[in-house]
Amino acid sequence: MARVHNFSAGPAALPTSVLAEIADEMMDYRGCGMSVLEMSHRSNMYQQIIDDAEATLRRLLSIPDNYRVLFLQGGATLQFAGIPMNLMRRGRAGYVVTGNFANKAHQEAAKYGEAVLLASSEGTNFDRIPNMADINARIAAEAAGKGLDYVYICQNNTIFGTMFHELPDCGDVPLVADVSSCFLSQPLDVERYGLIYAGAQKNAGAAGVTVIIVRDDLIAEGPAFAQTPQYMDLKTQAAKGSMLNTPNTFGIYVCGKVFRWVEQTGGLAAMAERNWAKANLLYDLLENSVLFHGTTQADSRSIANVTFRTGDAELDAAFVAGAAEHQIQNVKGHRLVGGMRASVYNAVTMEDMQALASYMKDFEAQHSLSPRSN
Ligand SMILES: Cc1ncc(COP(=O)(O)O)c(C=O)c1O
């Protein structure tokens, strides 16, 4: 069996032990004579699967009892609208724009009310998280002025390779975070947030599941807009245990397996230590390289998505093309930014990192006479 070194930004590498377990259970899930793919979501057997997934996630993140856990569909993108629909009661929320996905969320929210731009790093091509003291001062001023229903951040910016290393101080205003690409990469203090959500296809499982963790009181009154589709009404979804309609049964089953794998391999603190060791292998290499350079400010570096380039688009393309010969896949940067990106999510191993680092060093040695254009 030949497996490649997969640095995909998502859907992304899954732990091989999880894949093997899924293969084992494919024809006959634990003696019930059918696959999870064929199982009614109303069966006791399936209820155990979803309950177990939630319970494991609650243990991993120490989720307090006053937070609900949902497994919905529609990707993170549907929640760009779902969040204002549910939470924009006064019609005014603050957005920190740190990349493409935060920008999309900001634009979507503006359809439902006033989406106040609190800060943006667009001016420096999203190479950093804006100054936190400035963000905090702006939040305090807005909260004391016209008020904010919530403050929104995209905690890890998958395309640009940046991450919040500290959270904004929102006072009493609930913090809402898209944690899609840093979910389960590191410990997370759920109580700092009003709502957290993540597409599962990076660190938490298969595409097609969005995990939402939301504080009870924020959804107790139902959505902010009466015309909110039933599916997107978080109060109803919570009351129905994510089963208002047929959920992504198989996707949730895969999430449950990944949650267990994270727990069995030491939990989130151990995961963070391994992830920083992997990412720092590349960041150190980039700092010492004469050919490659990182594209983000050091204090804003992502734990999960390492972005870099040579400064020469043709050399970047040659690097990406040559990678395949070393069984290295998915290192091309996002089409919006070009260059290269290695996503080093939980299931990417140190061996994968060493293969990439060794290819980078060889490529650099071969092209060491090429000038760097910036
Ligand atoms: C941080 C972040 N938010 C949102 C999205 C959009 O997710 P989806 O494709 O699940 O809608 C992505 C996708 O890569 C992402 O990385």
Side-chain angles (χ1 to χ4, degrees), residues 9-11 74-80 100-102 104 152 154-159 178-182 197-202 207-210 305 334 341 345:
T77 301
L78 192 63
Q79 297 312 316
F80 296 165
N100 180 53
F101 294 113
K104 286 187 168 173
Y152 182 101
C154 178
Q155 196 159 321
N156 185 80
N157 298 282
T158 325
I159 295 177
D178 174 356
V179 295
S180 292
S181 45
C182 57
Y197 73 105
Q201 67 270 25
K202 294 151 196 310
V209 178
T210 311
N305 312 99
H334 190 275
R341 170 179 57 183
Y345 297 129

Side-chain angles (χ1 to χ4, degrees), residues 300-319:
S300 301
R301 284 173 180 163
S302 166
I303 191 173
N305 312 99
V306 182
T307 50
F308 56 101
R309 56 182 65 222
T310 63
D312 173 336
E314 272 179 33
L315 263 189
D316 287 353
F319 177 82

Side-chain angles (χ1 to χ4, degrees), residues 26 65 105 124 269 303 351:
M26 183 55 76
D65 289 345
T124 54
I303 191 173
E351 290 70 41

Side-chain angles (χ1 to χ4, degrees), residues 286 289-294 309-312 369-374:
L286 292 170
S289 172
V290 290
L291 182 66
F292 298 106
H293 61 112
R309 56 182 65 222
T310 63
D312 173 336
L369 296 178
S370 300
R372 229 168 93 169
S373 63
N374 60 357

Side-chain angles (χ1 to χ4, degrees), residues 67-111:
Y67 284 74
R68 304 271 69 81
V69 175
L70 303 175
F71 299 102
L72 302 186
Q73 304 189 58
T77 301
L78 192 63
Q79 297 312 316
F80 296 165
I83 285 155
M85 281 178 168
N86 281 278
L87 304 184
M88 227 190 214
R89 295 186 193 286
R90 272 182 283 203
R92 201 164 188 275
Y95 279 72
V96 180
V97 173
T98 48
N100 180 53
F101 294 113
N103 203 14
K104 286 187 168 173
H106 178 232
Q107 285 170 9
E108 194 77 343
K111 296 179 186 169

